[in-house]
Amino acid sequence: MLRMSDLLERLRERGWRLTAQRRVVAEVLDGDHVHLTADEVHARAAERLPEISRATVYNTLRELVHRGEVLEVSTDGRAKRYDPNAHRPHHHLLCARCGSIRDVHPTGDPLANLPAAQSFGFTVLEAEVTYRGICPDCAA
Amino acid sequence: MLRMSDLLERLRERGWRLTAQRRVVAEVLDGDHVHLTADEVHARAAERLPEISRATVYNTLRELVHRGEVLEVSTDGRAKRYDPNAHRPHHHLLCARCGSIRDVHPTGDPLANLPAAQSFGFTVLEAEVTYRGICPDCAA
DNA sequence: ATAGATGCAAATGTTTTGCACAGCA
DNA sequence: TGCTGTGCAAAACATTTGCATCTAT
């Protein structure tokens, strides 16, 4: 059963101009626990569409992030990773050794832990928790 | 009353080779709510010691981070910022517009919110919360 | 037809590195 | 004096941008 990814379907509905390049980027990003760097996205996209350029991948990722369809995950100095699981809120578990990432769903709302008195006049919009540790592969 | 910064004092005790360059880097980083980029550290250090090189600043910062004396704070794509307040645990409030940072001390232990069942085999070492919002300056 | 996406290559910004020299312990 | 830090410049990455060309709508 051929099914267009949820991502593509949603984008098409919102009048996103669909091109071959954008299609493969969206396809490459489909799935759970997918956290690729821009360069990895480009490499995988190029397997199916050899002429796709890095610039287009970067542009497309930037736009997907802007539209709230993909999450940009900072990884302590390493290249950013892109997470298609943007529709359900979650946090990240980052391997301090190899940089690999897993999605996690902690209990409780971290925002609730910041007393207003500590906001320094900021309008606080969101809280993101990064758990750091050593992944099973690196521990072995 | 002339007082050597706590940072310098601690480093000297641990046999850190003290040079003019390292001294100004440590001095520039002294204080609360200090979150400078490597380049800002270099600029301020160069005011007092014009011949200091960027490489030395980067090397020094890297070593301070390694020794646990300075915290490296990721800032969503912008240049990393360095936080001398590493001896007391805290989290960060980041302005999504201008990238400025404040230290905050939320209530509760975020680590406690990650059930073991969600650790994916990781040995989880720490949890860091990044609050994102708009700072008073940017809101004005 | 046309607004907008693409590819290429060059520019940008950040951080690291190689190597000869200099300076702290 | 000897190890180690420093400066310089170049390299290494990650990402963005300008511009001519192409294409989905």
Side-chain angles (χ1 to χ4, degrees):
Chain A
M1 133 199 136
L2 276 188
R3 188 182 59 76
M4 179 177 264
S5 78
D6 291 351
L7 182 50
L8 278 178
E9 205 153 333
R10 230 174 304 129
L11 289 167
R12 211 184 32 175
E13 278 169 16
R14 303 191 188 174
W16 204 49
R17 192 158 180 169
L18 195 46
T19 66
Q21 290 83 343
R22 287 173 169 196
R23 190 190 313 277
V24 291
V25 168
E27 283 171 359
V28 158
L29 281 176
D30 200 36
D32 272 357
H33 290 293
V34 172
H35 304 95
L36 302 170
T37 64
D39 214 53
E40 286 166 349
V41 171
H42 174 254
R44 300 201 184 186
E47 286 171 14
R48 305 198 207 171
L49 191 65
E51 65 274 27
I52 192 173
S53 74
R54 244 175 275 272
T56 295
V57 171
Y58 275 105
N59 287 337
T60 304
L61 289 173
R62 178 152 32 87
E63 227 196 294
L64 290 174
V65 170
H66 230 114
R67 290 180 175 244
E69 294 296 344
V70 163
L71 238 49
E72 194 176 71
V73 187
S74 296
T75 60
D76 299 343
R78 278 178 252 259
K80 283 177 244 164
R81 293 181 174 272
Y82 294 88
D83 180 346
N85 186 19
H87 40 309
R88 296 191 222 332
H90 64 277
H91 297 267
H92 291 107
L93 178 52
L94 168 62
C95 178
R97 192 113 64 197
C98 70
S100 68
I101 294 181
R102 305 289 300 197
D103 286 352
V104 290
H105 298 79
T107 61
D109 175 14
L111 259 184
N113 292 337
L114 188 68
Q118 281 216 41
S119 299
F120 295 101
F122 277 60
T123 305
V124 184
L125 302 170
E126 62 151 63
E128 178 202 324
V129 187
T130 302
Y131 298 89
R132 251 173 282 268
I134 306 296
C135 75
D137 286 359
C138 286
Chain B
M1 137 198 133
L2 276 189
R3 187 181 60 76
M4 179 177 264
S5 78
D6 292 351
L7 181 52
L8 278 177
E9 205 154 334
R10 229 175 304 129
L11 289 168
R12 210 184 34 175
E13 278 168 16
R14 302 192 189 173
W16 205 50
R17 191 157 180 173
L18 195 45
T19 68
Q21 291 81 345
R22 289 173 167 196
R23 189 191 312 275
V24 291
V25 168
E27 284 171 357
V28 158
L29 281 176
D30 199 36
D32 273 357
H33 291 295
V34 171
H35 304 95
L36 301 170
T37 64
D39 214 53
E40 286 166 350
V41 171
H42 175 253
R44 299 202 184 185
E47 286 172 13
R48 306 197 207 173
L49 191 64
E51 66 274 27
I52 192 172
S53 74
R54 246 173 274 271
T56 294
V57 170
Y58 275 104
N59 287 338
T60 304
L61 289 173
R62 178 153 32 88
E63 227 195 294
L64 290 174
V65 170
H66 232 113
R67 289 179 174 245
E69 294 295 344
V70 164
L71 239 48
E72 196 176 69
V73 187
S74 296
T75 59
D76 299 342
R78 276 178 254 260
K80 283 176 244 166
R81 292 181 174 273
Y82 294 88
D83 181 346
N85 186 20
H87 40 309
R88 295 191 222 336
H90 64 278
H91 298 267
H92 291 108
L93 178 52
L94 168 62
C95 179
R97 191 113 67 198
C98 71
S100 69
I101 294 181
R102 304 289 300 196
D103 287 352
V104 291
H105 298 79
T107 60
D109 175 14
L111 258 184
N113 292 336
L114 188 68
Q118 281 218 39
S119 299
F120 295 100
F122 278 59
T123 306
V124 185
L125 302 170
E126 62 151 62
E128 178 203 323
V129 187
T130 303
Y131 298 89
R132 253 174 281 268
I134 306 295
C135 74
D137 285 359
C138 285

